[in-house]
Amino acid sequence: MKLQEINKARYRNHLNKVIVGCIAALVVGSLGIAQGLIAVLPNEQGSHFHWNLAGVVISCLVIGSVLKKYKHHDFMTEVTYVWELKKQLNYITRKMRKLKAAVEEGDVIAMQIINYSYAGSRQLWQLDDNTITMEELSIWQAELDAKAREVNVVLDTEKYSQKLLENY
């Protein structure tokens, strides 16, 4: 996955609309389905927990399928990009201990992967206005840059692909 520049205002606007839409669909869908099931299949004991649960589960499945169907729609471009970026960063984070050990040994591929992780994290944190750990990230990036200079490597986020993680 390649890093892309995205419009922060458009991203935040569309993300908020998607979140509100999902919450509204979950509330209306789960209550509507549960009430429909209770009306059609009433329980003499008065416990309708299983119908309420069924309403929530069915609503979640419908919302998930709608999001999956429309994830390539123009409205969802930025939201989908951020979801995919978070997924890539999660893959990298799971292997970070091995990657950092490999960087200490001068592994160029591990350096490229961690560089991508830092650049992606920086972008993600700026989009979400989560700048608390940016200073720490700058320190980590400086350490990585120093190690890359030491082994004479030019770091480039374009060289990252998920397939590179298979070796770690």
Side-chain angles (χ1 to χ4, degrees):
M1 177 181 170
K2 303 299 178 204
L3 295 178
Q4 306 168 11
E5 286 296 318
I6 63 172
N7 183 324
K8 181 179 177 176
R10 178 179 153 107
Y11 162 70
R12 297 296 293 176
N13 182 7
H14 289 199
L15 178 64
N16 289 339
K17 288 178 181 176
V18 168
I19 289 171
V20 168
C22 288
I23 291 170
L26 182 61
V27 169
V28 171
S30 61
L31 289 174
I33 291 168
Q35 291 302 311
L37 289 170
I38 291 168
V40 174
L41 305 164
N43 185 343
E44 297 80 32
Q45 298 170 347
S47 174
H48 303 296
F49 173 77
H50 55 287
W51 297 135
N52 290 325
L53 180 61
V56 171
V57 170
I58 292 168
S59 294
C60 286
L61 291 173
V62 169
I63 292 167
S65 67
V66 168
L67 287 174
K68 185 175 181 179
K69 180 179 180 181
Y70 289 105
K71 78 178 190 178
H72 297 294
H73 188 276
D74 184 53
F75 183 84
M76 295 288 289
T77 302
E78 292 82 7
V79 176
T80 301
Y81 168 76
V82 171
W83 286 345
E84 292 299 321
L85 178 59
K86 286 181 179 183
K87 190 165 53 169
Q88 288 301 314
L89 294 176
N90 190 27
Y91 292 144
I92 295 169
T93 299
R94 285 189 234 147
K95 304 218 178 201
M96 190 59 81
R97 187 180 314 162
K98 290 180 182 177
L99 288 167
K100 286 190 175 186
V103 165
E104 289 303 315
E105 296 174 7
D107 187 329
V108 175
I109 294 172
M111 289 181 199
Q112 297 291 2
I113 294 170
I114 291 177
N115 183 59
Y116 176 88
S117 175
Y118 291 168
S121 295
R122 184 176 300 105
Q123 181 183 32
L124 185 63
W125 294 345
Q126 287 171 341
L127 287 172
D128 289 338
D129 292 325
N130 180 10
T131 56
I132 294 171
T133 55
M134 281 295 211
E135 206 172 294
E136 220 174 301
L137 182 63
S138 295
I139 294 168
W140 298 339
Q141 184 70 56
E143 290 170 356
L144 181 64
D145 291 343
K147 188 67 175 177
R149 279 191 303 275
E150 185 180 302
V151 294
N152 211 17
V153 172
V154 176
L155 298 175
D156 182 8
T157 59
E158 294 291 318
K159 294 183 179 178
Y160 171 78
S161 79
Q162 185 178 340
K163 195 168 185 78
L164 296 174
L165 289 169
E166 291 174 359
N167 298 327
Y168 302 95

